[in-house]
Amino acid sequence: MSRNDSNPGNLARWLQRYGNELGLLFAILVVVGITAGMDDSYRQKPSQNAAEILRQASLLGIFALGAATVIIAGGIDLSSGSVIAFSGAICTSIMIALAPVDDAGNLQTRELGAGILCAAVAGTLLVAVLIGSFHAWLITVIGLPPFIATLASLVGLRSLARVLVQDVTAAVTTQGRNTQIYVNDASFRSWGSRWWIPLVIFLVLSGLIWILMSKTVIGRHLYALGGNEEAAKLSGIRTDRLKWLAYCVGTVTAAIAGILYSSYVGMSNPATQGMGYELNAIAAAVVGGCSLAGGIGTIPGVMLGALFLRVVIDSVAKTVKTNPDEFQGLIVGALVVLAVAFNELRNAGALKKQFFPGGLGVVNIFILSLLGGVITAVLSSDYKLMIGGSTAAVILGVLALKKFLEMRSRN
C-alpha cells in the first residue's frame, strides 16, 4: 500500500474498487475451511488436494479468460465447450496424420517428436483463429446476434468433430473408423497431467490479457465497446475489428484448453469432451465480476472466479458422498444467479429495493422456500424429509417477515 493509500478516503476507494476480488478471496477461504472441517482429505493430503484444485482451476480459467474478454466487449460466446472438443480432435488428428508407421502398418504415437507436436499445436490454434473470425463475420457482416452465431457453433462444431475423427481414423489407421483418437506420446501426455503446466499457461495468459485490457488503448476500446457500442462508433473506434479480436481470444483460449484436456486423458473424444463447459466459462466470468451487459470486469476477478468455482465444485465432491457429479450443474447455476443478482443489487441499492412486491412476490416466497427445502433435503444423507421441511419453514418465515416489512415501509 502506498503512502497516499493510508488516507481513509483513499482506503475506502481502494476497498470499493477491489471489493469483488477481496470478497472472492474471503469466500474461497471460507469454503476451504468448511470443507477441511467436514472432510479428512484436506488435512491428510493438503498438497495433493491443492495441486489438483490448481490444475482444474487453471484449465477452467484458461477458457474463462476468453469468455470474459467477449463479455467485457459486449458479446457472448456459447461455443467454448464445442471448441474444446473440436480443438482436441484437430490436434490429435494432425498428430496421427504425421505419426510414423511401423513395418506392420501400425501408427507409432509413443515418440512423435517436437516437430509433430509443434505442428499439431500450431494447426489447432490456426483453426481456432478461423473459428473466431467466422463468429466475427457472422456478427458484424451478416448481422446475427452473438447468441445465435455462437449457438450454431455450439451445436455444429461437436457434430463436425465426431465425423472428422471417424474419417481421419478410417483414412490413417488400419483398424477402420473409430470415435476416439488415442495418442501415447509422453511429452504430449505431460502437458495436462503435470499440475503446474496448466497453471503456468494460465498465469502467462492472464498476464498477457490483463496487459491487453488494462494497459493498452485496445483494452480501453474493448471496455468502451461493451459499455456503449454506438458511442464507441461515434468516437471513431473500429468496433468490428475489436469484435474480431475478442472472439478470436475466446476461441484461441478454448483451443488451448482443448489441447490440455486431450493431453490429460491421452485421447480425443468429441462426444463427451468439454460437454457443458461453456456454462462454466460464463459462470467463472460472471462470478468474477463481469457484467453480462458488457463494459465491466477485471482479469484478476476472473482468475479468482475460476478458482472459487473450482473450490466449490471440489467441496461438493468431498462433502456429498453419493453421486456428487449430479450436483455440479445445480451449484454452478445457483452461483451464476447469485453473482448476477448481487451485482445488480449492489448497483441498484439493495437496502431500499422491494424483493417481493404484489402477488408475484408472494408466489416467489413459496417458490424460494420450496427450492431451499428441496436442495437441503437432497444434500442431506439422513432425515431428508425432516431437514428439508424444517429448512423450508425457516426460509418461509424469514421471507414472510421481509414481505411484511416491505409492506409497512410502503405505508
Side-chain angles (χ1 to χ4, degrees), residues 118-253:
C118 290
V121 172
T124 305
L125 297 183
L126 176 61
V127 170
V129 172
L130 295 178
I131 296 171
S133 301
F134 184 62
H135 288 162
W137 177 75
L138 288 174
I139 294 166
T140 60
V141 178
I142 303 301
L144 293 183
F147 179 87
I148 300 300
T150 55
L151 180 64
S153 293
L154 169 68
V155 178
L157 279 179
R158 186 177 298 278
S159 178
L160 179 59
R162 297 177 68 176
V163 175
L164 177 68
V165 166
Q166 294 183 54
D167 286 346
V168 169
T169 51
V172 175
T173 67
T174 56
Q175 289 80 26
R177 291 179 178 273
N178 199 326
T179 57
Q180 300 163 352
I181 297 177
Y182 294 89
V183 176
N184 297 315
D185 182 82
S187 298
F188 174 65
R189 294 294 305 273
S190 69
W191 296 349
S193 56
R194 292 182 181 174
W195 68 272
W196 56 269
I197 294 181
L199 177 61
V200 170
I201 294 174
F202 175 48
L203 294 177
V204 170
L205 285 174
S206 298
L208 293 175
I209 296 178
W210 177 78
I211 292 172
L212 172 71
M213 301 299 292
S214 304
K215 303 297 179 183
T216 68
V217 175
I218 293 175
R220 289 194 289 273
H221 286 177
L222 283 168
Y223 277 99
L225 169 64
N228 190 325
E229 183 174 349
E230 289 303 317
K233 284 182 179 177
L234 293 174
S235 301
I237 296 174
R238 295 181 175 181
T239 56
D240 288 354
R241 291 188 179 185
L242 291 175
K243 288 181 182 178
W244 170 82
L245 176 63
Y247 281 97
C248 284
V249 170
T251 50
V252 167
T253 54

Side-chain angles (χ1 to χ4, degrees), residues 304-334:
L304 289 171
L307 180 59
F308 174 68
L309 203 61
R310 194 61 232 174
V311 166
V312 170
I313 291 173
D314 189 68
S315 175
V316 173
K318 293 283 191 305
T319 55
V320 178
K321 304 301 182 185
T322 306
N323 301 323
D325 293 345
E326 296 176 358
F327 296 95
Q328 181 173 329
L330 174 64
I331 299 299
V332 173

Side-chain angles (χ1 to χ4, degrees), residues 369-370 372-394:
S369 303
L370 182 63
V374 170
I375 291 175
T376 310
V378 297
L379 288 174
S380 304
S381 55
D382 299 311
Y383 308 107
K384 290 178 176 290
L385 185 60
M386 184 181 71
I387 294 175
S390 302
T391 304
V394 171

